[in-house]
Amino acid sequence: MSFIEFILGVAALVSGIAVISFRNPLYSAFALVANLLTIAGLYALLNAHFLAVTQVVVYAGAIMVLVLFVLMLLNLKTEQGKQPGLAQLATAVVGGIVLIVTALPPVLSRFQGLSSHQLADNVRASEGTVQAIGQELYSHYTVQFELSSLVLLIGIVGAVMLAKRKQPQLGPRQGGLLKGE
Amino acid sequence: MIELFILLVKVFLVMNIALVLGSLCTWIERKGSALIQDRVGANRAGAFIESDKWFVKPALPFVRMMGWLGVINTLLCDSVKGLWKEDFVPEGASKFLHAAAPIIAVLPIMLAFAVLPLAPDFTLFGYYIHPRVAPIDAGLLFVLAMGSVAVYGVAIAGWTGNNKFSLLGSLRAAAQMISYELPMGLVFVALIVVYGSLDVYTIVERQGDLLWGFIPKWGVVMQPVSFVVLLLAGMAETKRGPFDLPEAESELAAGYFTEYSGMKFLLFWLGEFCEIALFALLLALLFFGGWHIPWVKLPEGVWWAALVGHVVLMTKVVFFCLLQIVIRWTLPRFRYDQLMNLGWKMLLPVSLVNLAVTAIIKVLV
């Protein structure tokens, strides 16, 4: 493990904890951005350049900007003195355990018997270049890839439809402003 | 060890090239805008400097000339003034975020320079040198990614301003930057289709060939529509020119940086000017052959050829900086709905059709 990997790993952990410990939702959002960026850095160190850049473009660059703006516009105040109830705590603990139990074994079994060094070398050798990923996407996983793009398209059309439905009443030109009200 | 040294030298040089281009743009902006508006412009600071010291005397004519041209005013006086100004933080704003915003606005722009090559490869003292800090294969995507990270600087700046003008300005800026990233990404895809590579270096190298034996295979010849789209999208992305709605002073005071003063304010400007240089560099590399001179083939791998190539590239970059600044000072500002219409109803469909046509031609030929 190189020095930079160590720093990025620590930063990822610290920012991850910060996401759930800040009282101000906006700071949590910033911590999440930092977390996504550090993980992108870890991807880059594992030679998965494409994954790293995509992480920055999609998560840090697009999704989190929208989240941030919603938070800014709502102007939420810092939660004060509000302790999470027992039910909430129990749900969080059980949910976390379920996630770990279901998600970790398949990942671990894939890399069983490998030290962390070997693991990192394996990941590095598996080539995260654009070419390698493109080759995989368009040869082995063509149908799944095209299907997921179709699902995304449906999502976009749906969002536009939902936004359009209310326009006749709310459009600025039909509203009082331009009719001299 | 020597590798690390070469890397550090590269980082130093690229940073400085970015900063020098940025300051050059500042000077062109001040003096050029004066020229366009039939004013004199900055011409006092240092223009009448006197000294009897023997070691200053020989340089005096040069210093006076620089003063008269406004160079001293823009580069020295402005920054010293910025350093000594009161550092104002609005009431109720987070001090940390207020200070972080200008840094977040500048840093991604500087990082984007890391993936762009500034000269052809060459060998010096037996060492093979690739004049680029981070030779990653997804270089163009990285530039896009940094553009989207730069939105944070603006967004945070607007929010910590703690007033409506700032927030409106940052909302406009974010919407504008995200909207214009789409046609920009599509332009990059069209270029990747034409040159068959994601790597900026390879794209530039392939522009050295000739089309049908006599036309240089420059991006502007192969993709004229993409060039126009990228020029417009780049100018919108820098939040300048006819697209400076986020800081429209007649409507929003100064938009997202209304509450900024001193060096923090200057940092936003530095970021903006470096972004102009970044887009000029992108246009020169992707559409105007980078370091290639049409019909001239420089020897490969020789240091002086790389130097000539670098000078050629920088000439093109300065030309595009100049072009962007001239457009900024000649055209009136768009209305906000016009800006959004241009982005979503003009540039996006045009770049989509352009991409489809490019792909069909690529398959047929």
Side-chain angles (χ1 to χ4, degrees), chain A residues 26-27 30 33 49-50 53 56-57 60-61 64-65 68-69 72-73 129-130, chain B residues 94 97 136-137 141-142 145 148-149 152 155-156 159 170-171 174 178 198:
Chain A
L26 204 63
Y27 288 155
F30 287 135
V33 175
H49 296 157
F50 182 69
V53 172
V56 177
V57 172
M64 283 314 291
V65 172
L68 211 64
F69 267 105
M72 281 179 182
L73 285 178
T129 58
V130 181
Chain B
S94 151
L97 286 180
I136 62 172
D137 67 338
L141 285 176
F142 185 80
S148 49
V149 171
Y152 283 109
I156 297 173
W159 183 71
S170 73
L171 273 177
I178 293 174
L198 250 179

PDB file of all heavy atoms in Angstrom, chain A residues 26-27 30 33 49-50 53 56-57 60-61 64-65 68-69 72-73 129-130, chain B residues 94 97 136-137 141-142 145 148-149 152 155-156 159 170-171 174 178 198:
ATOM      1  N   LEU A  26     -26.368  20.262   4.786  1.00  0.00           N
ATOM      2  CA  LEU A  26     -25.527  20.772   3.707  1.00  0.00           C
ATOM      3  C   LEU A  26     -24.082  20.302   3.881  1.00  0.00           C
ATOM      4  O   LEU A  26     -23.426  19.889   2.920  1.00  0.00           O
ATOM      5  CB  LEU A  26     -25.592  22.296   3.703  1.00  0.00           C
ATOM      6  CG  LEU A  26     -25.265  22.913   2.359  1.00  0.00           C
ATOM      7  CD1 LEU A  26     -26.282  22.499   1.328  1.00  0.00           C
ATOM      8  CD2 LEU A  26     -25.225  24.404   2.475  1.00  0.00           C
ATOM      9  N   TYR A  27     -23.597  20.340   5.139  1.00  0.00           N
ATOM     10  CA  TYR A  27     -22.236  19.870   5.377  1.00  0.00           C
ATOM     11  C   TYR A  27     -22.131  18.377   5.084  1.00  0.00           C
ATOM     12  O   TYR A  27     -21.115  17.901   4.581  1.00  0.00           O
ATOM     13  CB  TYR A  27     -21.820  20.152   6.826  1.00  0.00           C
ATOM     14  CG  TYR A  27     -21.561  21.601   7.104  1.00  0.00           C
ATOM     15  CD1 TYR A  27     -21.673  22.125   8.382  1.00  0.00           C
ATOM     16  CD2 TYR A  27     -21.205  22.455   6.073  1.00  0.00           C
ATOM     17  CE1 TYR A  27     -21.445  23.458   8.632  1.00  0.00           C
ATOM     18  CE2 TYR A  27     -20.972  23.790   6.311  1.00  0.00           C
ATOM     19  CZ  TYR A  27     -21.092  24.290   7.588  1.00  0.00           C
ATOM     20  OH  TYR A  27     -20.859  25.607   7.825  1.00  0.00           O
ATOM     21  N   PHE A  30     -21.623  18.038   1.459  1.00  0.00           N
ATOM     22  CA  PHE A  30     -20.241  18.344   1.070  1.00  0.00           C
ATOM     23  C   PHE A  30     -19.314  17.190   1.426  1.00  0.00           C
ATOM     24  O   PHE A  30     -18.419  16.818   0.662  1.00  0.00           O
ATOM     25  CB  PHE A  30     -19.745  19.616   1.755  1.00  0.00           C
ATOM     26  CG  PHE A  30     -20.356  20.855   1.187  1.00  0.00           C
ATOM     27  CD1 PHE A  30     -20.830  21.849   2.006  1.00  0.00           C
ATOM     28  CD2 PHE A  30     -20.459  21.019  -0.183  1.00  0.00           C
ATOM     29  CE1 PHE A  30     -21.399  22.991   1.480  1.00  0.00           C
ATOM     30  CE2 PHE A  30     -21.024  22.148  -0.717  1.00  0.00           C
ATOM     31  CZ  PHE A  30     -21.499  23.137   0.115  1.00  0.00           C
ATOM     32  N   VAL A  33     -19.618  14.576  -1.119  1.00  0.00           N
ATOM     33  CA  VAL A  33     -18.855  14.919  -2.324  1.00  0.00           C
ATOM     34  C   VAL A  33     -17.385  14.564  -2.124  1.00  0.00           C
ATOM     35  O   VAL A  33     -16.751  13.925  -2.977  1.00  0.00           O
ATOM     36  CB  VAL A  33     -18.992  16.423  -2.652  1.00  0.00           C
ATOM     37  CG1 VAL A  33     -18.096  16.777  -3.819  1.00  0.00           C
ATOM     38  CG2 VAL A  33     -20.419  16.772  -2.962  1.00  0.00           C
ATOM     39  N   HIS A  49      -8.915   4.170 -14.691  1.00  0.00           N
ATOM     40  CA  HIS A  49      -9.087   5.593 -14.982  1.00  0.00           C
ATOM     41  C   HIS A  49     -10.500   5.924 -15.411  1.00  0.00           C
ATOM     42  O   HIS A  49     -11.077   6.924 -14.993  1.00  0.00           O
ATOM     43  CB  HIS A  49      -8.111   6.017 -16.084  1.00  0.00           C
ATOM     44  CG  HIS A  49      -6.695   5.892 -15.675  1.00  0.00           C
ATOM     45  ND1 HIS A  49      -5.664   5.766 -16.556  1.00  0.00           N
ATOM     46  CD2 HIS A  49      -6.137   5.865 -14.453  1.00  0.00           C
ATOM     47  CE1 HIS A  49      -4.532   5.663 -15.905  1.00  0.00           C
ATOM     48  NE2 HIS A  49      -4.784   5.720 -14.632  1.00  0.00           N
ATOM     49  N   PHE A  50     -11.048   5.050 -16.245  1.00  0.00           N
ATOM     50  CA  PHE A  50     -12.380   5.352 -16.767  1.00  0.00           C
ATOM     51  C   PHE A  50     -13.403   5.395 -15.653  1.00  0.00           C
ATOM     52  O   PHE A  50     -14.234   6.299 -15.579  1.00  0.00           O
ATOM     53  CB  PHE A  50     -12.773   4.311 -17.819  1.00  0.00           C
ATOM     54  CG  PHE A  50     -14.096   4.580 -18.444  1.00  0.00           C
ATOM     55  CD1 PHE A  50     -14.258   5.669 -19.288  1.00  0.00           C
ATOM     56  CD2 PHE A  50     -15.182   3.775 -18.191  1.00  0.00           C
ATOM     57  CE1 PHE A  50     -15.476   5.934 -19.860  1.00  0.00           C
ATOM     58  CE2 PHE A  50     -16.410   4.044 -18.761  1.00  0.00           C
ATOM     59  CZ  PHE A  50     -16.559   5.121 -19.601  1.00  0.00           C
ATOM     60  N   VAL A  53     -12.993   8.613 -13.620  1.00  0.00           N
ATOM     61  CA  VAL A  53     -13.516   9.814 -14.269  1.00  0.00           C
ATOM     62  C   VAL A  53     -15.035   9.784 -14.301  1.00  0.00           C
ATOM     63  O   VAL A  53     -15.702  10.794 -14.053  1.00  0.00           O
ATOM     64  CB  VAL A  53     -12.924   9.939 -15.687  1.00  0.00           C
ATOM     65  CG1 VAL A  53     -13.590  11.053 -16.434  1.00  0.00           C
ATOM     66  CG2 VAL A  53     -11.437  10.191 -15.612  1.00  0.00           C
ATOM     67  N   VAL A  56     -16.491  10.809 -11.063  1.00  0.00           N
ATOM     68  CA  VAL A  56     -16.490  12.257 -10.857  1.00  0.00           C
ATOM     69  C   VAL A  56     -17.572  12.918 -11.699  1.00  0.00           C
ATOM     70  O   VAL A  56     -18.324  13.766 -11.220  1.00  0.00           O
ATOM     71  CB  VAL A  56     -15.103  12.847 -11.194  1.00  0.00           C
ATOM     72  CG1 VAL A  56     -15.131  14.351 -11.061  1.00  0.00           C
ATOM     73  CG2 VAL A  56     -14.061  12.274 -10.263  1.00  0.00           C
ATOM     74  N   VAL A  57     -17.674  12.518 -12.982  1.00  0.00           N
ATOM     75  CA  VAL A  57     -18.655  13.179 -13.860  1.00  0.00           C
ATOM     76  C   VAL A  57     -20.067  12.938 -13.363  1.00  0.00           C
ATOM     77  O   VAL A  57     -20.865  13.872 -13.225  1.00  0.00           O
ATOM     78  CB  VAL A  57     -18.517  12.664 -15.309  1.00  0.00           C
ATOM     79  CG1 VAL A  57     -19.644  13.202 -16.166  1.00  0.00           C
ATOM     80  CG2 VAL A  57     -17.192  13.084 -15.890  1.00  0.00           C
ATOM     81  N   ALA A  60     -20.154  12.976  -8.516  1.00  0.00           N
ATOM     82  CA  ALA A  60     -19.723  14.245  -7.929  1.00  0.00           C
ATOM     83  C   ALA A  60     -20.201  15.417  -8.775  1.00  0.00           C
ATOM     84  O   ALA A  60     -20.572  16.460  -8.255  1.00  0.00           O
ATOM     85  CB  ALA A  60     -18.203  14.264  -7.796  1.00  0.00           C
ATOM     86  N   GLY A  61     -20.201  15.249 -10.105  1.00  0.00           N
ATOM     87  CA  GLY A  61     -20.467  16.395 -10.966  1.00  0.00           C
ATOM     88  C   GLY A  61     -21.933  16.654 -11.228  1.00  0.00           C
ATOM     89  O   GLY A  61     -22.336  17.801 -11.384  1.00  0.00           O
ATOM     90  N   MET A  64     -24.695  15.062  -7.220  1.00  0.00           N
ATOM     91  CA  MET A  64     -24.521  15.795  -5.967  1.00  0.00           C
ATOM     92  C   MET A  64     -24.778  17.288  -6.122  1.00  0.00           C
ATOM     93  O   MET A  64     -25.182  17.954  -5.171  1.00  0.00           O
ATOM     94  CB  MET A  64     -23.113  15.547  -5.409  1.00  0.00           C
ATOM     95  CG  MET A  64     -22.946  14.197  -4.743  1.00  0.00           C
ATOM     96  SD  MET A  64     -24.287  13.773  -3.634  1.00  0.00           S
ATOM     97  CE  MET A  64     -24.024  14.955  -2.335  1.00  0.00           C
ATOM     98  N   VAL A  65     -24.539  17.824  -7.342  1.00  0.00           N
ATOM     99  CA  VAL A  65     -24.850  19.244  -7.545  1.00  0.00           C
ATOM    100  C   VAL A  65     -26.337  19.474  -7.359  1.00  0.00           C
ATOM    101  O   VAL A  65     -26.772  20.442  -6.712  1.00  0.00           O
ATOM    102  CB  VAL A  65     -24.397  19.701  -8.952  1.00  0.00           C
ATOM    103  CG1 VAL A  65     -24.892  21.089  -9.237  1.00  0.00           C
ATOM    104  CG2 VAL A  65     -22.894  19.668  -9.053  1.00  0.00           C
ATOM    105  N   LEU A  68     -27.237  19.199  -3.732  1.00  0.00           N
ATOM    106  CA  LEU A  68     -26.755  20.398  -3.047  1.00  0.00           C
ATOM    107  C   LEU A  68     -27.714  21.563  -3.247  1.00  0.00           C
ATOM    108  O   LEU A  68     -28.033  22.299  -2.312  1.00  0.00           O
ATOM    109  CB  LEU A  68     -25.381  20.748  -3.622  1.00  0.00           C
ATOM    110  CG  LEU A  68     -24.412  21.403  -2.690  1.00  0.00           C
ATOM    111  CD1 LEU A  68     -24.075  20.460  -1.577  1.00  0.00           C
ATOM    112  CD2 LEU A  68     -23.159  21.776  -3.442  1.00  0.00           C
ATOM    113  N   PHE A  69     -28.185  21.712  -4.492  1.00  0.00           N
ATOM    114  CA  PHE A  69     -29.057  22.851  -4.758  1.00  0.00           C
ATOM    115  C   PHE A  69     -30.400  22.710  -4.088  1.00  0.00           C
ATOM    116  O   PHE A  69     -30.956  23.691  -3.595  1.00  0.00           O
ATOM    117  CB  PHE A  69     -29.217  23.064  -6.258  1.00  0.00           C
ATOM    118  CG  PHE A  69     -28.208  24.033  -6.739  1.00  0.00           C
ATOM    119  CD1 PHE A  69     -27.111  23.633  -7.448  1.00  0.00           C
ATOM    120  CD2 PHE A  69     -28.337  25.368  -6.400  1.00  0.00           C
ATOM    121  CE1 PHE A  69     -26.160  24.535  -7.832  1.00  0.00           C
ATOM    122  CE2 PHE A  69     -27.388  26.272  -6.782  1.00  0.00           C
ATOM    123  CZ  PHE A  69     -26.297  25.854  -7.507  1.00  0.00           C
ATOM    124  N   MET A  72     -29.768  23.737  -0.620  1.00  0.00           N
ATOM    125  CA  MET A  72     -29.560  25.182  -0.487  1.00  0.00           C
ATOM    126  C   MET A  72     -30.874  25.941  -0.597  1.00  0.00           C
ATOM    127  O   MET A  72     -31.118  26.894   0.122  1.00  0.00           O
ATOM    128  CB  MET A  72     -28.621  25.670  -1.581  1.00  0.00           C
ATOM    129  CG  MET A  72     -27.172  25.389  -1.291  1.00  0.00           C
ATOM    130  SD  MET A  72     -26.185  25.977  -2.662  1.00  0.00           S
ATOM    131  CE  MET A  72     -24.582  25.481  -2.132  1.00  0.00           C
ATOM    132  N   LEU A  73     -31.718  25.508  -1.536  1.00  0.00           N
ATOM    133  CA  LEU A  73     -32.969  26.229  -1.753  1.00  0.00           C
ATOM    134  C   LEU A  73     -33.936  26.007  -0.600  1.00  0.00           C
ATOM    135  O   LEU A  73     -34.651  26.916  -0.200  1.00  0.00           O
ATOM    136  CB  LEU A  73     -33.609  25.787  -3.064  1.00  0.00           C
ATOM    137  CG  LEU A  73     -32.924  26.347  -4.293  1.00  0.00           C
ATOM    138  CD1 LEU A  73     -33.580  25.828  -5.546  1.00  0.00           C
ATOM    139  CD2 LEU A  73     -32.967  27.863  -4.285  1.00  0.00           C
ATOM    140  N   THR A 129      -9.074   0.333 -18.488  1.00  0.00           N
ATOM    141  CA  THR A 129      -9.012   1.337 -19.550  1.00  0.00           C
ATOM    142  C   THR A 129     -10.343   1.412 -20.279  1.00  0.00           C
ATOM    143  O   THR A 129     -11.163   0.507 -20.204  1.00  0.00           O
ATOM    144  CB  THR A 129      -7.923   1.001 -20.565  1.00  0.00           C
ATOM    145  OG1 THR A 129      -8.220  -0.282 -21.092  1.00  0.00           O
ATOM    146  CG2 THR A 129      -6.554   0.998 -19.937  1.00  0.00           C
ATOM    147  N   VAL A 130     -10.527   2.523 -20.992  1.00  0.00           N
ATOM    148  CA  VAL A 130     -11.764   2.736 -21.727  1.00  0.00           C
ATOM    149  C   VAL A 130     -11.969   1.606 -22.720  1.00  0.00           C
ATOM    150  O   VAL A 130     -13.064   1.072 -22.875  1.00  0.00           O
ATOM    151  CB  VAL A 130     -11.705   4.082 -22.456  1.00  0.00           C
ATOM    152  CG1 VAL A 130     -12.991   4.323 -23.195  1.00  0.00           C
ATOM    153  CG2 VAL A 130     -11.433   5.184 -21.481  1.00  0.00           C
TER     154      VAL A 130
ATOM    155  N   SER B  94     -20.592  30.404   6.694  1.00  0.00           N
ATOM    156  CA  SER B  94     -19.530  29.553   7.211  1.00  0.00           C
ATOM    157  C   SER B  94     -18.194  30.083   6.715  1.00  0.00           C
ATOM    158  O   SER B  94     -17.979  30.256   5.519  1.00  0.00           O
ATOM    159  CB  SER B  94     -19.738  28.121   6.721  1.00  0.00           C
ATOM    160  OG  SER B  94     -18.498  27.474   6.625  1.00  0.00           O
ATOM    161  N   LEU B  97     -16.320  27.483   4.425  1.00  0.00           N
ATOM    162  CA  LEU B  97     -16.834  27.330   3.068  1.00  0.00           C
ATOM    163  C   LEU B  97     -16.610  28.595   2.249  1.00  0.00           C
ATOM    164  O   LEU B  97     -16.323  28.536   1.054  1.00  0.00           O
ATOM    165  CB  LEU B  97     -18.327  26.989   3.110  1.00  0.00           C
ATOM    166  CG  LEU B  97     -18.648  25.567   3.544  1.00  0.00           C
ATOM    167  CD1 LEU B  97     -20.138  25.349   3.553  1.00  0.00           C
ATOM    168  CD2 LEU B  97     -17.979  24.576   2.615  1.00  0.00           C
ATOM    169  N   ILE B 136      -3.288   9.917 -18.843  1.00  0.00           N
ATOM    170  CA  ILE B 136      -4.335   8.908 -18.691  1.00  0.00           C
ATOM    171  C   ILE B 136      -5.098   8.803 -20.003  1.00  0.00           C
ATOM    172  O   ILE B 136      -5.155   9.757 -20.769  1.00  0.00           O
ATOM    173  CB  ILE B 136      -5.299   9.229 -17.527  1.00  0.00           C
ATOM    174  CG1 ILE B 136      -6.046  10.536 -17.754  1.00  0.00           C
ATOM    175  CG2 ILE B 136      -4.567   9.267 -16.229  1.00  0.00           C
ATOM    176  CD1 ILE B 136      -7.113  10.770 -16.723  1.00  0.00           C
ATOM    177  N   ASP B 137      -5.674   7.638 -20.262  1.00  0.00           N
ATOM    178  CA  ASP B 137      -6.278   7.429 -21.575  1.00  0.00           C
ATOM    179  C   ASP B 137      -7.646   8.075 -21.687  1.00  0.00           C
ATOM    180  O   ASP B 137      -8.176   8.219 -22.768  1.00  0.00           O
ATOM    181  CB  ASP B 137      -6.334   5.930 -21.921  1.00  0.00           C
ATOM    182  CG  ASP B 137      -7.289   5.185 -21.007  1.00  0.00           C
ATOM    183  OD1 ASP B 137      -7.553   5.706 -19.918  1.00  0.00           O
ATOM    184  OD2 ASP B 137      -7.742   4.099 -21.388  1.00  0.00           O
ATOM    185  N   LEU B 141     -12.387  13.003 -21.126  1.00  0.00           N
ATOM    186  CA  LEU B 141     -13.411  12.843 -20.098  1.00  0.00           C
ATOM    187  C   LEU B 141     -12.991  13.546 -18.817  1.00  0.00           C
ATOM    188  O   LEU B 141     -13.810  14.121 -18.108  1.00  0.00           O
ATOM    189  CB  LEU B 141     -13.641  11.367 -19.810  1.00  0.00           C
ATOM    190  CG  LEU B 141     -14.435  10.612 -20.854  1.00  0.00           C
ATOM    191  CD1 LEU B 141     -14.503   9.149 -20.493  1.00  0.00           C
ATOM    192  CD2 LEU B 141     -15.824  11.183 -20.931  1.00  0.00           C
ATOM    193  N   PHE B 142     -11.690  13.500 -18.541  1.00  0.00           N
ATOM    194  CA  PHE B 142     -11.192  14.146 -17.334  1.00  0.00           C
ATOM    195  C   PHE B 142     -11.440  15.657 -17.385  1.00  0.00           C
ATOM    196  O   PHE B 142     -11.825  16.268 -16.387  1.00  0.00           O
ATOM    197  CB  PHE B 142      -9.693  13.852 -17.186  1.00  0.00           C
ATOM    198  CG  PHE B 142      -9.106  14.366 -15.905  1.00  0.00           C
ATOM    199  CD1 PHE B 142      -9.262  13.661 -14.740  1.00  0.00           C
ATOM    200  CD2 PHE B 142      -8.404  15.555 -15.882  1.00  0.00           C
ATOM    201  CE1 PHE B 142      -8.733  14.134 -13.561  1.00  0.00           C
ATOM    202  CE2 PHE B 142      -7.870  16.037 -14.705  1.00  0.00           C
ATOM    203  CZ  PHE B 142      -8.035  15.321 -13.533  1.00  0.00           C
ATOM    204  N   ALA B 145     -14.944  16.160 -16.544  1.00  0.00           N
ATOM    205  CA  ALA B 145     -15.174  15.921 -15.122  1.00  0.00           C
ATOM    206  C   ALA B 145     -14.756  17.140 -14.303  1.00  0.00           C
ATOM    207  O   ALA B 145     -15.467  17.570 -13.396  1.00  0.00           O
ATOM    208  CB  ALA B 145     -14.402  14.685 -14.666  1.00  0.00           C
ATOM    209  N   SER B 148     -17.234  19.840 -14.430  1.00  0.00           N
ATOM    210  CA  SER B 148     -18.412  19.684 -13.579  1.00  0.00           C
ATOM    211  C   SER B 148     -18.063  19.855 -12.112  1.00  0.00           C
ATOM    212  O   SER B 148     -18.910  20.259 -11.325  1.00  0.00           O
ATOM    213  CB  SER B 148     -19.092  18.340 -13.846  1.00  0.00           C
ATOM    214  OG  SER B 148     -18.165  17.302 -13.828  1.00  0.00           O
ATOM    215  N   VAL B 149     -16.821  19.585 -11.738  1.00  0.00           N
ATOM    216  CA  VAL B 149     -16.449  19.822 -10.335  1.00  0.00           C
ATOM    217  C   VAL B 149     -16.364  21.321 -10.058  1.00  0.00           C
ATOM    218  O   VAL B 149     -16.684  21.789  -8.966  1.00  0.00           O
ATOM    219  CB  VAL B 149     -15.114  19.124  -9.997  1.00  0.00           C
ATOM    220  CG1 VAL B 149     -14.618  19.534  -8.634  1.00  0.00           C
ATOM    221  CG2 VAL B 149     -15.288  17.629 -10.034  1.00  0.00           C
ATOM    222  N   TYR B 152     -19.014  23.360  -8.193  1.00  0.00           N
ATOM    223  CA  TYR B 152     -19.103  23.461  -6.736  1.00  0.00           C
ATOM    224  C   TYR B 152     -18.600  24.796  -6.208  1.00  0.00           C
ATOM    225  O   TYR B 152     -19.184  25.362  -5.296  1.00  0.00           O
ATOM    226  CB  TYR B 152     -18.321  22.333  -6.072  1.00  0.00           C
ATOM    227  CG  TYR B 152     -19.054  21.040  -6.121  1.00  0.00           C
ATOM    228  CD1 TYR B 152     -18.641  20.014  -6.933  1.00  0.00           C
ATOM    229  CD2 TYR B 152     -20.199  20.875  -5.366  1.00  0.00           C
ATOM    230  CE1 TYR B 152     -19.334  18.838  -7.001  1.00  0.00           C
ATOM    231  CE2 TYR B 152     -20.900  19.699  -5.430  1.00  0.00           C
ATOM    232  CZ  TYR B 152     -20.461  18.682  -6.243  1.00  0.00           C
ATOM    233  OH  TYR B 152     -21.160  17.532  -6.310  1.00  0.00           O
ATOM    234  N   ALA B 155     -21.295  27.223  -6.767  1.00  0.00           N
ATOM    235  CA  ALA B 155     -22.470  26.947  -5.950  1.00  0.00           C
ATOM    236  C   ALA B 155     -22.229  27.341  -4.497  1.00  0.00           C
ATOM    237  O   ALA B 155     -23.055  28.019  -3.877  1.00  0.00           O
ATOM    238  CB  ALA B 155     -22.822  25.464  -6.043  1.00  0.00           C
ATOM    239  N   ILE B 156     -21.066  26.949  -3.974  1.00  0.00           N
ATOM    240  CA  ILE B 156     -20.765  27.256  -2.570  1.00  0.00           C
ATOM    241  C   ILE B 156     -20.614  28.765  -2.384  1.00  0.00           C
ATOM    242  O   ILE B 156     -21.105  29.338  -1.411  1.00  0.00           O
ATOM    243  CB  ILE B 156     -19.497  26.512  -2.124  1.00  0.00           C
ATOM    244  CG1 ILE B 156     -19.736  25.008  -2.206  1.00  0.00           C
ATOM    245  CG2 ILE B 156     -19.114  26.895  -0.714  1.00  0.00           C
ATOM    246  CD1 ILE B 156     -18.512  24.192  -1.950  1.00  0.00           C
ATOM    247  N   TRP B 159     -23.929  30.355  -2.158  1.00  0.00           N
ATOM    248  CA  TRP B 159     -24.672  30.048  -0.939  1.00  0.00           C
ATOM    249  C   TRP B 159     -24.081  30.755   0.269  1.00  0.00           C
ATOM    250  O   TRP B 159     -24.815  31.257   1.122  1.00  0.00           O
ATOM    251  CB  TRP B 159     -24.667  28.537  -0.715  1.00  0.00           C
ATOM    252  CG  TRP B 159     -25.469  28.141   0.463  1.00  0.00           C
ATOM    253  CD1 TRP B 159     -26.823  28.166   0.566  1.00  0.00           C
ATOM    254  CD2 TRP B 159     -24.973  27.701   1.718  1.00  0.00           C
ATOM    255  NE1 TRP B 159     -27.209  27.748   1.801  1.00  0.00           N
ATOM    256  CE2 TRP B 159     -26.098  27.462   2.534  1.00  0.00           C
ATOM    257  CE3 TRP B 159     -23.699  27.473   2.224  1.00  0.00           C
ATOM    258  CZ2 TRP B 159     -25.969  27.003   3.834  1.00  0.00           C
ATOM    259  CZ3 TRP B 159     -23.583  27.017   3.509  1.00  0.00           C
ATOM    260  CH2 TRP B 159     -24.703  26.791   4.309  1.00  0.00           C
ATOM    261  N   SER B 170     -25.559  31.931  -8.451  1.00  0.00           N
ATOM    262  CA  SER B 170     -24.961  30.599  -8.477  1.00  0.00           C
ATOM    263  C   SER B 170     -25.925  29.590  -9.080  1.00  0.00           C
ATOM    264  O   SER B 170     -25.497  28.649  -9.746  1.00  0.00           O
ATOM    265  CB  SER B 170     -24.524  30.182  -7.079  1.00  0.00           C
ATOM    266  OG  SER B 170     -25.624  29.879  -6.290  1.00  0.00           O
ATOM    267  N   LEU B 171     -27.230  29.796  -8.881  1.00  0.00           N
ATOM    268  CA  LEU B 171     -28.205  28.907  -9.528  1.00  0.00           C
ATOM    269  C   LEU B 171     -28.085  29.004 -11.042  1.00  0.00           C
ATOM    270  O   LEU B 171     -28.033  27.997 -11.750  1.00  0.00           O
ATOM    271  CB  LEU B 171     -29.628  29.298  -9.121  1.00  0.00           C
ATOM    272  CG  LEU B 171     -30.178  28.694  -7.853  1.00  0.00           C
ATOM    273  CD1 LEU B 171     -31.555  29.248  -7.581  1.00  0.00           C
ATOM    274  CD2 LEU B 171     -30.257  27.196  -7.989  1.00  0.00           C
ATOM    275  N   ALA B 174     -24.833  27.353 -12.201  1.00  0.00           N
ATOM    276  CA  ALA B 174     -24.832  25.889 -12.179  1.00  0.00           C
ATOM    277  C   ALA B 174     -25.686  25.348 -13.317  1.00  0.00           C
ATOM    278  O   ALA B 174     -25.278  24.431 -14.038  1.00  0.00           O
ATOM    279  CB  ALA B 174     -25.337  25.389 -10.842  1.00  0.00           C
ATOM    280  N   ILE B 178     -24.052  23.082 -16.286  1.00  0.00           N
ATOM    281  CA  ILE B 178     -24.475  21.695 -16.497  1.00  0.00           C
ATOM    282  C   ILE B 178     -25.093  21.548 -17.890  1.00  0.00           C
ATOM    283  O   ILE B 178     -24.834  20.576 -18.599  1.00  0.00           O
ATOM    284  CB  ILE B 178     -25.459  21.268 -15.391  1.00  0.00           C
ATOM    285  CG1 ILE B 178     -24.737  21.212 -14.055  1.00  0.00           C
ATOM    286  CG2 ILE B 178     -26.061  19.918 -15.698  1.00  0.00           C
ATOM    287  CD1 ILE B 178     -25.625  20.937 -12.891  1.00  0.00           C
ATOM    288  N   LEU B 198      -9.338   8.171 -27.709  1.00  0.00           N
ATOM    289  CA  LEU B 198      -9.778   9.044 -26.619  1.00  0.00           C
ATOM    290  C   LEU B 198      -8.627   9.918 -26.144  1.00  0.00           C
ATOM    291  O   LEU B 198      -8.819  10.902 -25.442  1.00  0.00           O
ATOM    292  CB  LEU B 198     -10.216   8.185 -25.439  1.00  0.00           C
ATOM    293  CG  LEU B 198     -11.679   8.098 -25.071  1.00  0.00           C
ATOM    294  CD1 LEU B 198     -11.841   7.174 -23.906  1.00  0.00           C
ATOM    295  CD2 LEU B 198     -12.221   9.442 -24.735  1.00  0.00           C
TER     296      LEU B 198
END
